[in-house]
Amino acid sequence: MKQVTVVGAGLVGSLWSIYLAQRGYHVEVFERRADPRKTGIAEGRSINLALSDRGWAALEKVGMADAVRQSAIPMYRRVMHAVDGALSFQPYGKENQAIYSVSRGGLNRLLVEAAEAHPQVTVHFGHRCVDADVEQGRATFESADGTRDSNGEALFATDGAFSQVRAKMQRRDRFNYEQEYIDHGYKELHIPPAADGSHQLEREALHIWPRGQHMLIALPNPDGSFTCTLFFPMEGAESFEALQTVEAARAFFAAQFRDALDLMPDFEAQWAANPVASLVIIRCSPWNVGGKTVLFGDASHAIVPFYGQGMNSGFEDCRVFDAVLDDCGDDLDRAFAEFARKRKPDADAIAELAMRNFVEMRDLTAQPEFLLQKKIEARFSALHPGQWMPLYSQVTFSHIPYAQALAAGKRQDALMAQILARPNIAENWESEEVMAEMRRLLEATRA
Ligand SMILES: Cc1cc2nc3c(=O)[nH]c(=O)nc-3n(C[C@H](O)[C@H](O)[C@H](O)COP(=O)(O)OP(=O)(O)OC[C@H]3O[C@@H](n4cnc5c(N)ncnc54)[C@H](O)[C@@H]3O)c2cc1C
């Protein structure tokens, strides 16, 4: 069977190695980081991610979903925290639909261990890719023991947003590449468990403090803590740059996120210790060089985290790629080109959707009109199942290709703008008259 090389044992590379092994490939995986089990370095602060249906489906396909589910916490709704501490709520989907908080480190370890348990997979930690011959599907790695070349017949590059393999592809003629840092960066903070080990905020929810130009979010961890992320401009009057001292940061939190601050007894120490990181969007094409090298996951499409879809889309890459290999009978020349052709429009769409969701989360979730729109959509969708799936549900709870979801979402927004412009809509939104008008407008868009 084919011998192939995977660069990067992050979330996507480790899952993809399992897929490849189950297809019968021999896989050598090279990962820059040291093996955390051998260095004894603790994982430190818990950082979590939202896992949703696309990710679950990809895990399910290789039998990994049950193991991940053991420590995943369902988040059934958004809980919005106003400046005065008042709470409002918005379910993510229908009853029992949830997105799941999972530990990034725990999930990565689980996937790497499952890959390594496969006799056809070898993972080399402490091996940094320093060069790649993308036409030949070979790469060169540096480790404490020196330099070595891979000898697989193809290269799968899952080495993240700052991919070394992609850097080599960029030198090729007609390779398109776009890298955009958004104005906002982020800092992670931590809300510890209560004295009895319980969660200090509602456990099965994603908490948001939407404040217009910035926001704080919090996702639950199994140990009773929450990981919070502040998304904030990097520069300007209200920015990380402007918060020069921990005292200034505390004053800002006291004014903006009082209820969260009250749950962080060591706020000053955390603020000083935790780094500010930037957020980047990467677009590039083509993703492949013949049947020899292909990029996927963040290496080909890094997006901002506001739809919680970066990892999910990378996991979906694995499922889509696997199906393409089936269709192409494992002919890599055909499969690499077909995967890139099929998947690129979806990657572009989720990049756009993720930026749109940033505006929704930081700004719109605090606006009554937005909440009203969501209520009307939910009611219509409950009355007419199958006729209206809210955009969030299409992205999060379905496998509809992202590009189709984006197009449908734009049609829905245009229709909802007409509904929200109706007189007294805040009072009569549940009426049969409004529902009938939605049916009529929907019919008209289909005509
Ligand atoms: C703040 C934040 C919150 C997020 N929240 C979510 C969320 O809720 N839900 C979601 O779905 N996504 C989320 N994401 C996105 C998600 O983290 C990424 O999409 C995901 O990690 C991509 O996986 P990957 O394997 O492609 O890349 P990575 O996770 O970056 O893994 C790349 C791997 O390659 C290794 N590597 C890099 N360079 C080399 C080299 N030269 N040689 C060898 N190895 C190398 C790295 O060490 C790493 O292990 C979030 C991202 C951020 C920044």
Side-chain angles (χ1 to χ4, degrees):
M1 228 332 172
K2 294 182 202 299
Q3 166 134 5
V4 295
T5 307
V6 172
V7 185
L11 294 167
V12 176
S14 49
L15 179 62
W16 182 237
S17 304
I18 301 173
Y19 269 83
L20 285 168
Q22 291 193 1
R23 295 192 73 84
Y25 288 58
H26 289 271
V27 191
E28 277 205 293
V29 189
F30 294 88
E31 166 56 47
R32 179 181 58 184
R33 287 170 298 157
D35 185 343
R37 294 161 301 189
K38 297 202 176 119
T39 56
I41 297 169
E43 256 156 33
R45 292 175 297 133
S46 41
I47 308 272
N48 44 30
L49 300 163
L51 176 63
S52 51
D53 280 32
R54 293 172 200 263
W56 283 116
L59 291 166
E60 195 79 62
K61 179 83 202 327
V62 286
M64 290 304 299
D66 285 345
V68 176
R69 208 168 279 122
Q70 309 276 321
S71 53
I73 302 179
M75 299 180 287
Y76 293 101
R77 58 183 187 170
R78 287 172 172 163
V79 175
M80 273 82 71
H81 297 243
V83 176
D84 64 3
L87 302 181
S88 52
F89 308 94
Q90 192 198 343
Y92 272 120
K94 291 185 244 157
E95 218 179 324
N96 288 328
Q97 278 183 324
I99 57 176
Y100 290 77
S101 177
V102 293
S103 148
R104 174 192 284 274
L107 177 58
N108 206 158
R109 196 173 49 239
L110 197 72
L111 293 174
V112 170
E113 283 177 354
E116 270 187 323
H118 214 287
Q120 284 161 225
V121 179
T122 314
V123 183
H124 305 279
F125 286 98
H127 280 69
R128 189 165 65 93
C129 175
V130 289
D131 199 3
D133 180 344
V134 292
E135 283 85 8
Q136 297 303 318
R138 299 276 165 91
T140 306
F141 299 91
E142 258 177 27
S143 73
D145 300 328
T147 300
R148 62 178 283 186
D149 294 329
S150 66
N151 52 15
E153 64 181 80
L155 201 58
F156 293 93
T158 51
D159 50 343
F162 297 98
S163 167
Q164 179 66 26
V165 178
R166 190 190 62 230
K168 295 303 290 186
M169 284 167 76
Q170 275 168 242
R171 305 228 180 121
R172 287 170 54 84
D173 190 31
R174 309 204 71 233
F175 185 84
N176 295 306
Y177 175 66
E178 225 184 303
Q179 170 179 312
E180 179 190 352
Y181 283 97
I182 66 165
D183 293 342
H184 289 67
Y186 68 97
K187 186 190 270 277
E188 274 147 348
L189 297 162
H190 188 248
I191 293 179
D196 65 359
S198 63
H199 289 82
Q200 301 204 59
L201 298 168
E202 179 178 322
R203 177 178 183 267
E204 294 187 341
L206 190 151
H207 296 262
I208 310 183
W209 290 256
R211 298 291 183 266
Q213 278 309 302
H214 55 268
M215 69 173 175
L216 181 72
I217 65 169
L219 276 73
N221 297 310
D223 67 357
S225 66
F226 279 86
T227 303
C228 305
T229 311
L230 172 66
F231 295 100
F232 201 42
M234 296 293 270
E235 294 161 4
E238 277 208 324
S239 69
F240 283 118
E241 184 192 53
L243 293 181
Q244 288 287 344
T245 61
V246 286
E247 292 76 22
R250 169 172 272 281
F252 170 72
F253 262 66
Q256 296 284 323
F257 313 117
R258 179 79 250 177
D259 53 345
L261 178 65
D262 288 345
L263 302 176
M264 297 177 192
D266 59 344
F267 174 82
E268 279 80 359
Q270 288 196 52
W271 185 268
N274 298 352
V276 172
S278 48
L279 291 167
V280 70
I281 303 170
I282 306 274
R283 293 188 188 84
C284 64
S285 70
W287 289 354
N288 68 306
V289 179
K292 286 297 177 186
T293 299
V294 64
L295 307 170
F296 64 114
D298 273 17
S300 53
H301 52 82
I303 60 176
V304 291
F306 307 113
Y307 231 120
Q309 286 294 313
M311 164 190 65
N312 286 291
S313 65
F315 282 3
E316 192 174 59
D317 284 352
C318 298
R319 199 172 57 83
V320 169
F321 211 142
D322 188 54
V324 168
L325 285 172
D326 283 345
D327 292 345
C328 296
D330 289 88
D331 172 343
L332 299 187
D333 280 326
R334 280 173 54 212
F336 283 20
E338 175 58 10
F339 168 73
R341 185 197 64 74
K342 188 170 181 165
R343 194 69 178 146
K344 167 80 172 139
D346 292 325
D348 289 342
I350 190 58
E352 183 177 338
L353 284 160
M355 269 317 282
R356 280 169 51 132
N357 213 44
F358 185 27
V359 177
E360 177 167 324
M361 285 176 84
R362 71 180 195 209
D363 206 356
L364 301 181
T365 50
Q367 292 180 11
E369 192 173 75
F370 171 79
L371 296 175
L372 177 62
Q373 173 173 340
K374 295 288 155 192
K375 283 196 292 192
I376 300 173
E377 287 186 40
R379 177 164 172 76
F380 189 78
S381 141
L383 287 174
H384 305 287
Q387 288 207 44
W388 183 284
M389 191 189 287
L391 176 59
Y392 188 87
S393 298
Q394 293 186 51
V395 172
T396 308
F397 302 124
S398 91
H399 306 296
I400 296 168
Y402 290 124
Q404 273 181 38
L406 175 62
K410 286 180 177 169
R411 286 195 298 275
Q412 289 179 346
D413 279 351
L415 189 155
M416 286 308 297
Q418 295 183 59
I419 294 290
L420 290 168
R422 288 171 63 88
N424 302 323
I425 186 69
E427 287 77 47
N428 64 14
W429 65 273
E430 281 182 289
S431 67
E432 172 48 28
E433 195 191 337
V434 170
M435 295 296 121
E437 178 64 358
M438 282 195 59
R439 278 195 298 276
R440 193 188 67 73
L441 290 170
L442 199 56
E443 286 300 316
T445 61
R446 290 186 184 136

